[in-house]
Amino acid sequence: MEKKLTATAIALALLAASLPEPARSQGVLPETVVTASRLPTARERVASSVTVVTAEDIAAKQQRTLVEVLGDVPGLQVVQSGGLGKQTSVFSRGSNSNHTLIVIDGVEMSDTSTPNGAFNFAHLLTADIERIEVVRGPQSTLFGSDAIGAVISITTKLGTGPTQYLIQGEGGAFDTVNGTLQVAGSRGRLRYALGSSYLDSDGESVSPARIRALQAGATEEDDGYTQRSASVHLAYEASDSVNFGFALHHVRTRSETDQPIEDPDAYERTRQWFGRADATLDFFGGLMESIVGASVTRHTRDSFNVPGIANTLQRSDDLGAKTKYEIQNNFFVVEDHILTLGLETELDSLKNTQFSNFSGFTIVGTTDSDARTNAAYVQDQFAYGDRVFGTLGFRYDDHDTLGSKLTFRLAPVVAFPERGLRIKAAVGTGFRAPALFQLFGNTRSSNGGTFRGDPNLRAEESIGWEVGFEQSVMTGRVTVGSTYFDQEIKNLLETKFTGSNSTVINLARADIFGFESFISAGVTPNVSVRLDHTFTRAENKATGGDLRRRPKQKLSAEVRYHASDRLSVIGGMRFNGPGKDVSGNPLASSQEINKGSHTLVNVSANYDLNDGASLFGRINNLLNRKYETADGLAGSSRAVVVGARVRF
């Protein structure tokens, strides 16, 4: 299978080379992309590998969680520790799970309360999302630490025109109910959007049957999930040259889990507050634009377990916070050049207390720490004629503990619009500061063992490059593309054990390369298809083996059929290949194992009753495949969900 999929990437590249003389491109890549350069830029002028997902895409495929959306994005490997609402990590192009930065309405979401600083993607619903941009490859020059692998930027909805109301409800498998209420519109110079969502599901057991059989007396019990969220997004045009923006989001969840096998008492509560206020000012008749912003992120996680069948008592309280101030100045003085100068300062903080008792073996600890990072960056977005475009940028970061770090990125693209062809490339460096717990964490156990963070750790560093093409033919009805990427990451952090004591050290190095290839086609006016394939080889240079949870192969296919003006159907398939993982067997939890592949098929249908009302339904995991998202953690079974949506 692996050889066949690798051949697919090569075939796509050869196909582009052998295509007949293409007709003039009609609307090839017409969208505007912001994240790649922090400036609204026509996508045909963007060299970075970008995937854009719109609210229309999400609604058509009925993807209710960010986890479902990202699972279809090329180059991303999404690993969820079970079903709905369970801990979720995203690996971009073979990098670590904490190497992908997520930004929502300009707010950086990294969770400083987790041991490695990674964000848990499990709790974000899609109801208020207007647009998602995923930019793959090192992006530290514009976004600093955390952006070695990719940046995922989310923009939420903002109304315009008369006030509109949206009411949506659905229900189905596992006693799942999901409801959304939104109000959006504009009044005078004010645009607004307010929304609230509620999701509740009895869920399924996180523990697959083979793991459950290891514990005497264990019986299958559902691990449910509840999520409540609310948001407000405002924009006010004070004058022709002054605009204000404001966004505030709150997410509250309760997720049941197993510690380590069937455990009806174990659960985690989370609360997230994040928001941003900014002002955009135009000076000198539009020759200079300044964006001044302040943002706050606050994550609270509380884990509970009481002695039961697992005879484990656990209680931990984690609070992570980030406060950031920034100014971005864009200069439009020289024709075909946009010069951007930015300054940032952010403060990360962590407070953690934990107590666990595993049948008499106890672990206790308290950590209270913070660190500030100041940064400055400069970028030139250039254009030479109507063929050559790109960006060149540098960034200087100064971290309280780690010292300074300089990164750069060059990303040119050459366009041949008369042939529907783009050739793109990028090279850049990235870095990631160790998480606060890795620097200052402190726990001890009843057997005398301790964990101590190391404030002398060095930052993880990377250098990566990519080159690729996109070719449109048949008046834009068929587009193919392929990108080769290569990245080296050094100073990777690993936990080192000395007897019963442990700490974190800079030890590992990873060499990563691969292909991302796609073909999309409008087969008929009513039928379109798309095929994406990603090959990734992520090698741990210390062992020569593959990094865990980075399967080499990922393949997805999608068919969209508009049966009529009212009825549309989408069918999708996603294959995740085999790879290395850590054993989920609690009796051998540190062992590396070979994890198998799995394939999921999903189908969704929408029927518009009129301009304001719709009925919809979907079947996830249509073939009811039994699979594990990570070793020892069960994925969701077949689920049928139906619902209705009303706008007025």
Side-chain angles (χ1 to χ4, degrees), residues 289-300:
E289 177 190 63
S290 293
I291 304 171
V292 183
S295 59
V296 176
T297 309
R298 186 182 178 92
H299 296 274
T300 304

Side-chain angles (χ1 to χ4, degrees), residues 447-517:
N447 68 350
T450 62
F451 170 84
R452 291 282 186 273
D454 183 356
N456 296 312
L457 288 172
R458 300 187 302 277
E460 298 172 322
E461 300 179 34
S462 76
I463 181 168
W465 61 275
E466 63 182 76
V467 59
F469 75 94
E470 292 185 13
Q471 173 73 70
S472 178
V473 298
M474 301 176 66
T475 63
R477 289 195 295 113
V478 177
T479 303
V480 298
S482 188
T483 299
Y484 174 84
F485 58 89
D486 193 300
Q487 184 168 214
E488 177 182 325
I489 307 175
K490 63 180 184 180
N491 297 335
L492 279 171
L493 298 173
E494 287 191 350
T495 301
K496 179 183 180 181
F497 289 88
T498 304
S500 57
N501 299 323
S502 62
T503 188
V504 179
I505 60 174
N506 293 104
L507 178 65
R509 196 182 79 184
D511 280 350
I512 303 168
F513 69 91
F515 292 92
E516 295 166 353
S517 306

Side-chain angles (χ1 to χ4, degrees), residues 104-108 245-248 274-279 291-297 322-328 343 345-346:
I104 302 177
D105 289 333
V107 183
E108 293 188 7
F246 177 78
L248 182 65
F274 53 98
R276 172 185 165 100
D278 59 46
I291 304 171
V292 183
S295 59
V296 176
T297 309
K322 179 189 292 287
T323 303
K324 182 173 183 177
Y325 302 95
E326 59 186 319
I327 180 170
Q328 176 182 328
L343 296 172
T345 181
E346 66 179 49

Side-chain angles (χ1 to χ4, degrees), residues 88-100:
T88 304
S89 303
V90 172
F91 302 83
S92 174
R93 287 184 169 177
S95 59
N96 281 348
S97 61
N98 56 359
H99 291 166
T100 296

